[in-house]
Amino acid sequence: MDSPFSKLVLHVPGTVLGWFQRAWGHEDPKALLEAEFGGGPYGFDSIFEAIRDHHLPRPETLGQLHELLDEHLWIESDEPLRLDERGLRVRTDDDEADVLYYLLEDEAVAAHPERVAYLLNDVWPLPSDTAAASGQVFTPNVPLRIGGKPGPGPDAVYVVRIGWQHSHLDGTNFDPQPMTVFPGVDLPGITGHLRTLTEPPVWENFNGDLLRALTGPGDDGIGPAIDRYVRLTSYDLVVPGGTAPNHEQILGWMQPDPPAEARVAVDEHLVQAARYIDTFWGHEQLFVFDTRWAASHPDLALSLLRCATHWDPFEPFGDQLPIQGVHGSSRE
């Protein structure tokens, strides 16, 4: 899709149950989906085929709707659909990549902006007009990988990549994975800090290692690294062994100029880039921000970290992610 975020955000009045009840006996479901959902996500129209073919009764409760969708909605995934008072969340596969879609209740959106603010944002770029003072508290509630030896400062830099392809060679793009934090440094100081890190790349910390590889020895600020990122021609950034490429490989994969469809916004405490892949895959996103931006935009920062870490914004994090060397809080 055309959005640099590679997502479509729509608002339809009513509740999730109410929408399905209204649509259940619609004389032209295809036209309804086109008018209200832009055609609908992959596999979503299968429920209307089942209604017609099996004369399914209209659901009167969320429980009944859950049973009907669970049996008749076409989902190509081992993940069961999730339907409760907060809305419907589905992970499926269109044979090329994972696909996510959500029908979220207005009340859940209002009650949990720290979980869904990024999902519902469709305006590029994210706001960066304000930043808190250095040393302000920002406590992420998702697991994070530490990017290396901590710096001396009170802040931290977070690296979030929402890719069209998973960093693991045998994974898919929405498998659970932790993002990276570089503690003790702010965004203006991240380039110099990255050059002090000597640990070898490891597949568990792909996003942090990718940022290190994008950074050149003479860079003054993070701008040149982001320019290299959007100029990369390689579809798959994972090299044999499952690690990020090194700086020499990055230089060898760059095209002279970024595609016209690429987007970059570089500010003092937030950097965001949408790397254009092609007309089929659209964009992948890279966000690098520090505590000062996160403390000033906590709902966006928390929901962005959550969105990149697990496909369900209401997933309760805990021991289910086999992660070692994590940083930050996993409290709900």
Side-chain angles (χ1 to χ4, degrees):
M1 55 188 65
D2 294 335
S3 167
F5 296 112
S6 291
K7 61 183 177 180
L8 178 64
V9 180
L10 301 167
H11 185 267
V12 177
T15 65
V16 172
L17 176 61
W19 186 88
F20 276 100
Q21 289 175 329
R22 177 166 59 87
W24 207 259
H26 198 280
E27 60 183 15
D28 192 346
K30 183 177 181 180
L32 176 68
L33 290 178
E34 186 64 38
E36 299 194 359
F37 288 162
Y42 177 80
F44 191 65
D45 58 351
S46 62
I47 186 61
F48 297 101
E49 296 175 6
I51 292 170
R52 180 195 62 215
D53 295 343
H54 302 288
H55 305 288
L56 301 179
R58 192 183 84 153
E60 299 301 327
T61 66
L62 272 179
Q64 292 175 4
L65 178 60
H66 189 287
E67 291 180 5
L68 290 164
L69 293 180
D70 191 47
E71 182 175 355
H72 297 286
L73 182 63
W74 179 253
I75 299 176
E76 294 189 35
S77 173
D78 294 333
E79 295 276 2
L81 67 86
R82 303 184 181 193
L83 175 64
D84 52 33
E85 69 281 357
R86 297 168 295 194
L88 174 69
R89 290 92 68 198
V90 174
R91 172 179 170 176
T92 186
D93 186 328
D94 69 355
D95 298 328
E96 298 291 345
D98 283 1
V99 175
L100 307 178
Y101 61 90
Y102 311 91
L103 276 70
L104 301 177
E105 298 279 2
D106 283 339
E107 290 185 1
V109 170
H112 300 289
E114 80 287 354
R115 294 172 180 263
V116 300
Y118 172 73
L119 279 179
L120 298 179
N121 177 81
D122 60 353
V123 178
W124 174 273
L126 299 181
S128 58
D129 53 330
T130 59
S134 180
Q136 292 296 305
V137 174
F138 171 71
T139 303
N141 59 356
V142 300
L144 294 166
R145 292 210 179 278
I146 297 177
K149 182 180 178 181
D155 300 318
V157 168
Y158 301 84
V159 182
V160 175
R161 177 172 165 267
I162 304 176
W164 67 284
Q165 198 165 45
H166 196 271
S167 57
H168 301 183
L169 293 176
D170 58 352
T172 58
N173 54 316
F174 288 121
D175 281 348
Q177 58 176 323
M179 297 298 104
T180 299
V181 60
F182 292 96
V185 63
D186 61 8
L187 189 55
I190 189 62
T191 302
H193 179 71
L194 290 173
R195 287 196 285 263
T196 70
L197 304 179
T198 58
E199 299 89 344
V202 292
W203 68 262
E204 293 94 340
N205 200 12
F206 182 89
N207 296 314
D209 290 332
L210 177 61
L211 187 64
R212 291 169 60 184
L214 289 166
T215 302
D219 289 356
D220 182 15
I222 198 172
I226 301 305
D227 176 68
R228 295 183 188 104
Y229 173 72
V230 295
R231 290 167 58 192
L232 290 175
T233 58
S234 175
Y235 274 37
D236 188 354
L237 299 180
V238 185
V239 300
T243 63
N246 57 40
H247 188 65
E248 288 69 29
Q249 289 169 317
I250 290 287
L251 296 178
W253 290 349
M254 288 168 50
Q255 52 191 311
D257 298 296
E261 298 87 350
R263 296 290 183 270
V264 173
V266 178
D267 294 287
E268 187 174 9
H269 299 285
L270 168 66
V271 170
Q272 43 197 320
R275 183 170 78 99
Y276 183 70
I277 308 300
D278 57 27
T279 56
F280 181 83
W281 294 106
H283 298 77
E284 72 171 23
Q285 300 79 37
L286 178 67
F287 301 90
V288 187
F289 59 90
D290 62 18
T291 303
R292 295 184 60 180
W293 178 81
S296 184
H297 303 81
D299 291 338
L300 270 176
L302 289 169
S303 60
L304 177 57
L305 287 167
R306 180 172 285 272
C307 174
T309 304
H310 196 280
W311 69 271
D312 183 356
F314 298 105
E315 175 72 8
F317 289 114
D319 297 334
Q320 77 278 13
L321 291 178
I323 302 168
Q324 297 179 355
V326 298
H327 165 87
S329 170
S330 62
R331 299 189 302 273
E332 282 303 293

